[in-house]
Structures are given as C-alpha cells and as structure tokens.
Amino acid sequence: QVEYLLKKICTAMSVELNCCELDDYLSQEPQGQGGLTVWQFLDMVNSGRFLRGIEQEAISMAIEEVYQEVIEDVLKQARSPTHPGAQTPSCPDPVFDPGVSWAQGYLWKKGQLRRNWSERWFTLKPSVLSYYMSEERKEKKGSITLDKHCCVEVLPDRDGKRCMFCVKTSSRTYEMSASDTRQRQEWTLAIQTAIRLQAEGKKSLHKDLKQKRREQREQREQRKAAKEEETQRLKQLQEEKERKLQELELLKEAQRQAEILLQEEEQRRRQQHEEMQRTLEIQLREAEQARASMQAEMVLKEAEAERQRKRIQELEDMQERLQEALQQEVKARQDEEAVRYAQARLLAEEEEKLKQLMKLKEEQEEYIIKTQREKQVLKQEMENKNKCLEEAQKQLEEVRVNRQRADQDVMAAQRKLHQASTNVKHWNVQMNRLMHPIGPGDKRTNVSGGFTGYQPLLSQRESSFK
C-alpha cells in the first residue's frame, strides 16, 4: 500500500519513484515489519527523503489529487486548457487502468432547454458524474447518475464544437465537448470504467483494487511460504536422496562382498565337488577291480567245483565198482557157507562199516547239495553286488557303505568258500583212503579146520575205515 500511494503521488507530480530505496528503508526501520501508520507515512513523505528536489507545494497538490481519487472515488479529473492558468497533466494511472488519467477539469456541456454550450467543472465518481459552476465546487449545477444501462458514444464535430461525445442514460442524453481528442478519449474511457463498475456491482474502484492488491499480497505470501516449504521439502528430499545414495553405496559394497564370498564359496564347492568326483572315481575303479577279482575268484571256484564234481563222479564209479565187488563177495559167501558161519561176526562188522560208508555217502551228497546252494547264494550275492555298484553311480553318498557291505559279504563268502574247500579237502582225503582196492587174502586153515582166507582183507578194511 505504501508503494502504491507513493507511485500515485509520483505519477501526479510526473516523477519516478525509486523502489530500491523504499525497500531498503522498509527493511531497516523497526516498524517496517509490522507496517506503517498514516502519520509515519506522512512524516516519511514530508521528510523529502524519497522526493528530493520537489517543492513542498507540489507535494501538497499531489497528495490532494490522490486524496480526491482514492478517498472521494474520483475516476476522471482533467483540467481544461480553456480555463485561465489551467494546466493539463496527462499522467496515466499505472494501477487500475492504463488509459485513465486523473485531474479535475472543465468540459463544455450542451443545455437541455436553451441548447447552448456552457463550460462546467466535472467530477467523475463510480456512481455519478457531477458538474459545477467552477472548480471551487460551491454551486453544483447538476449530476448524471451512472448505471449499467448507460453508455458513452463519440459524436462528429458540429455547431463549431470539436471532440464531442455523449453520455446516454435511460432518461436523457448529455452532449459534451473536450478540448482535444486525447482528453475526449480519457473522459470516455473513465466514464465507461464507471459504468462497468456499476454493472459489476462495485461501489469503489480503489477499494476493489485495494482488495485485489491485498489478495495479491496474500497470494505472494502464500507462494513465498509455499516456495520456502518447497525449498525445505527439496532440501529434505536432497538429504533423503544423499542418505539413500549412501545406503545404496553400502548396499552395493555389501553386494560386492557377498558376490566375492559367493564366488569363493562356489570355487570351494567346485573344488570339493571335483575332489569328491575324483574320490568316487577312485572308489569306482577299486570297486571294478574288486568285482573283476571276485569274478576271477568265482571262475577259479567254479573250476575247483568242477574238479570236485569230477572226483565225486569218480568216487561214485568207484562206489559202483565196490558194490559190484561186494556183490561178488556176497556170492562168494553164499558159495562158502561154511566160512560164512565162521566169519559171521566179521561180516556183521563189515555190514556195519558198509552202513557207515552209505551214511558218509549221503553226507557227501548233502554236502554237495549244500555247496551248490552256497554257489547259488554266491551268485545271488554277486548280482546284488552288481546292483549295488550300479546304484553307487547314481547315489554317490552311499558308495562307501555299499562297498563296505560288499566287502563284508565277500569276506563271508571267502570264509564259506575256504570252509567248503577245507571240507572238500577233508573228504578228498577220506575218499582217497577208500580208493585202495580190496584184494583177496591168503587162504588159511585154522586149527578147527575152518576157512580163514578173508581175515587179512577184513582187517585191512577195518583199518582203512578207522
């Protein structure tokens, strides 16, 4: 408001206001923060600080003109050049309308009844255009009420008058003449402004402008506060951004460390995998070698079993021959009935030995059957070992357990084979003892006259059984 009033006063005096000096003054004075009172403002103007080189009378006249415009709502005040000593300042209003000037002045007005032209002092307000006999405004000659139905029109020159215009109301048309074209344009624009204010329902232009300036100041303050708030928010966002960037750097560093650890872990796991692979390959090779050795041993065992079967077959043939010899011996006993009575006890013993031999034969057959079963068990165990080896390639963690189990089974089989070999050797020794042929003994006559030819043979057979 101070700046606005100073501008109005400077415009009335046709000088330019130094706004920078005013801003410095308002910022330095203690009352500048809370505003200036009217008396402080008048003291500031009367001090001549901002209006250097201007007479006090000119300042008083300018203040009076601003008072009439702002307080009395005078929209148009122009001095007519026809008045003696009158001056025509043309200072455009920089605030409410660029085309409106202000200064009180004279206009020629055409009468309604006598139709003559008279010079009158006109004063324009938002609701009325008043005209007086002179500029002292002691004798009011009339007024023109302005409303939204009024209008202003420019008229052509006639009756020796130039720069004519008229104001039309709902009841009458007022014809007037200005001193020049510029003054007519200023008056028409000012009257149109007053009519516009009435159409908009505004009683005072300066109060409306004051309200607008207040709203503009509030908007500027709000924008300033919003700008400060935005600046603060941007500062907070910048700090948050910097903090986020630092956290991001820390996260990147942690990610790099994690990647390094992950690479080390991957390399270590790869090395462990390679070592495990090599270990498993070695174990597989050892298992293959063990299987090959077991297969070779099984081949040897099969060859040994084949030899045992051949020897058993030979024993069976020998047994058949022995049975034939026994049959022949029985026949010989039947032929020699006399000797049979004498050798009854020996024959009974011989029959007992034969029973033991048959029992041994049965035991031998059972052992052969048992050996075949054990062979089948060994074959089944070999098949299980092969399956275990195949599963060892799919399940690497169970290779060691399966191999130990296979080793235990192989050791058990070896023990069984060793035991079987020992038993076979034992029976071979027994059969070798039985393989000696039974020959006839010398015929001797005992004291009682009996036949004693078979006594050495029975004694030899009894010793062989023992």
Side-chain angles (χ1 to χ4, degrees):
Q1 295 297 327
V2 170
E3 183 180 359
Y4 170 74
L5 290 174
L6 287 176
K7 283 182 179 179
K8 296 292 289 184
I9 294 172
C10 291
T11 303
M13 295 183 298
S14 300
V15 297
E16 186 177 358
L17 176 65
N18 190 355
C19 297
C20 297
E21 191 173 357
L22 176 63
D23 294 336
D24 294 338
Y25 175 79
L26 294 177
S27 62
Q28 292 174 4
E29 292 296 328
Q31 68 272 12
Q33 301 296 331
L36 294 175
T37 63
V38 177
W39 306 111
Q40 291 173 349
F41 172 71
L42 293 176
D43 292 338
M44 182 181 65
V45 173
N46 291 328
S47 65
R49 181 174 181 178
F50 303 101
L51 302 173
R52 297 184 180 91
I54 301 175
E55 295 180 357
Q56 190 72 22
E57 184 179 357
I59 296 174
S60 299
M61 293 176 61
I63 292 174
E64 176 66 21
E65 292 178 357
V66 172
Y67 172 80
Q68 290 181 5
E69 180 180 359
V70 174
I71 303 302
E72 295 185 358
D73 288 331
V74 177
L75 297 180
K76 173 62 181 162
Q77 306 177 50
R79 296 182 183 273
S80 174
T82 60
H83 189 270
Q87 297 180 356
T88 309
S90 58
C91 301
D93 193 336
V95 178
F96 69 91
D97 197 338
V100 176
S101 300
W102 72 274
Q104 294 183 1
Y106 289 92
L107 288 174
W108 289 91
K109 174 184 172 296
K110 188 175 183 179
Q112 182 179 7
L113 298 176
R114 299 172 63 182
R115 308 301 291 176
N116 60 336
W117 290 91
S118 302
E119 190 177 26
R120 297 287 184 262
W121 177 266
F122 281 86
T123 301
L124 177 63
K125 293 185 178 181
S127 61
V128 63
L129 177 62
S130 304
Y131 52 95
Y132 301 87
M133 194 67 182
S134 64
E135 60 181 327
E136 285 81 8
R137 295 186 296 177
K138 293 181 180 181
E139 184 180 356
K140 185 176 181 180
K141 300 299 292 184
S143 61
I144 302 172
T145 304
L146 302 176
D147 55 19
K148 61 181 180 179
H149 301 291
C150 299
C151 66
V152 181
E153 293 184 359
V154 177
L155 300 177
D157 298 340
R158 68 174 182 270
D159 299 334
K161 295 296 180 181
R162 53 190 300 272
C163 302
M164 295 178 62
F165 66 96
C166 68
V167 178
K168 293 182 179 181
T169 64
S170 59
S171 60
R172 181 182 170 184
T173 300
Y174 298 88
E175 295 182 2
M176 286 166 281
S177 173
S179 60
D180 53 21
T181 305
R182 180 174 181 179
Q183 190 180 18
R184 180 179 65 178
Q185 184 180 3
E186 291 175 354
W187 273 105
T188 55
L189 290 175
I191 295 171
Q192 288 175 355
T193 302
I195 294 171
R196 177 175 57 82
L197 290 174
Q198 292 298 316
E200 293 177 356
K202 299 177 181 178
K203 296 181 179 181
S204 175
L205 176 63
H206 298 286
K207 290 181 180 179
D208 183 63
L209 293 175
K210 181 180 179 181
Q211 182 65 25
K212 289 183 179 179
R213 289 194 300 273
R214 183 180 293 110
E215 293 176 357
Q216 290 176 358
R217 286 196 305 273
E218 291 177 357
Q219 291 177 0
R220 284 196 300 270
E221 290 175 358
Q222 291 177 359
R223 286 195 296 269
K224 184 177 179 181
K227 186 176 180 181
E228 292 177 356
E229 184 179 356
E230 183 69 19
T231 304
Q232 187 68 20
R233 190 174 64 83
L234 289 175
K235 184 177 179 181
Q236 293 177 357
L237 290 175
Q238 185 68 21
E239 293 176 355
E240 184 69 18
K241 182 179 179 182
E242 292 178 357
R243 187 176 63 81
K244 293 292 184 182
L245 289 174
Q246 292 178 359
E247 293 179 357
L248 184 61
E249 290 295 331
L250 293 175
L251 289 175
K252 287 182 178 179
E253 183 65 24
Q255 185 178 6
R256 286 195 293 270
Q257 295 293 333
E259 289 178 354
I260 293 173
L261 294 175
L262 184 61
Q263 291 177 358
E264 293 177 355
E265 181 67 20
E266 183 67 21
Q267 186 176 1
R268 185 177 62 80
R269 190 179 62 80
R270 191 181 296 109
Q271 292 178 357
Q272 291 179 354
H273 181 71
E274 292 177 355
E275 291 178 358
M276 185 180 295
Q277 188 70 22
R278 288 193 296 269
T279 304
L280 290 174
E281 290 177 355
I282 294 172
Q283 292 178 356
L284 286 174
R285 286 196 296 269
E286 291 178 355
E288 289 291 337
Q289 293 176 1
R291 185 175 65 177
S293 63
M294 289 175 63
Q295 289 178 353
E297 187 175 357
M298 287 298 298
V299 171
L300 294 175
K301 294 298 182 181
E302 289 178 356
E304 182 68 23
E306 186 65 27
R307 287 195 297 271
Q308 292 294 331
R309 284 195 298 272
K310 290 180 179 180
R311 298 185 71 176
I312 290 170
Q313 186 64 34
E314 292 176 356
L315 290 174
E316 289 177 353
D317 296 338
M318 186 177 294
Q319 184 178 1
E320 290 179 357
R321 290 193 295 270
L322 286 174
Q323 288 179 356
E324 292 178 357
L326 288 173
Q327 291 176 0
Q328 292 177 1
E329 186 177 358
V330 170
K331 188 177 180 180
R333 285 200 206 107
Q334 290 177 357
D335 294 338
E336 298 177 353
E337 292 179 0
V339 177
R340 186 181 55 188
Y341 292 107
Q343 301 294 331
R345 185 177 57 84
L346 294 175
L347 289 174
E349 293 177 359
E350 186 177 0
E351 287 178 1
E352 185 66 25
K353 296 297 183 181
L354 286 173
K355 289 179 181 180
Q356 292 178 359
L357 181 61
M358 293 299 292
K359 186 176 180 180
L360 290 174
K361 181 180 178 182
E362 291 176 357
E363 291 178 357
Q364 187 175 9
E365 290 177 354
E366 290 176 358
Y367 180 75
I368 291 171
I369 294 171
K370 184 178 179 180
T371 304
Q372 291 177 354
R373 291 178 180 174
E374 290 177 354
K375 181 180 178 182
Q376 292 178 358
V377 171
L378 289 174
K379 287 182 179 180
Q380 186 66 30
E381 290 177 354
M382 285 299 297
E383 292 177 357
N384 292 332
K385 295 296 190 260
N386 292 330
K387 290 181 180 179
C388 292
L389 289 173
E390 291 176 356
E391 291 177 356
Q393 295 177 356
K394 298 179 181 178
Q395 301 177 355
L396 297 179
E397 287 91 4
E398 297 179 1
V399 169
R400 183 175 297 177
V401 177
N402 293 332
R403 187 174 64 83
Q404 292 177 358
R405 190 184 301 166
D407 292 337
Q408 292 176 0
D409 294 335
V410 169
M411 291 175 65
Q414 288 178 355
R415 287 195 299 269
K416 291 178 180 180
L417 289 173
H418 185 268
Q419 185 177 358
S421 300
T422 304
N423 294 331
V424 170
K425 289 180 180 180
H426 174 71
W427 288 110
N428 287 334
V429 172
Q430 296 295 330
M431 292 302 297
N432 287 330
R433 292 178 181 177
L434 295 174
M435 287 174 65
H436 295 287
I438 302 174
D442 295 335
K443 293 183 180 181
R444 294 182 181 177
T445 305
N446 53 13
V447 179
S448 61
F451 184 73
T452 61
Y454 290 97
Q455 184 68 31
L457 179 58
L458 293 176
S459 300
Q460 187 178 1
R461 290 178 64 184
E462 183 178 359
S463 62
S464 65
F465 275 116
K466 291 180 181 179

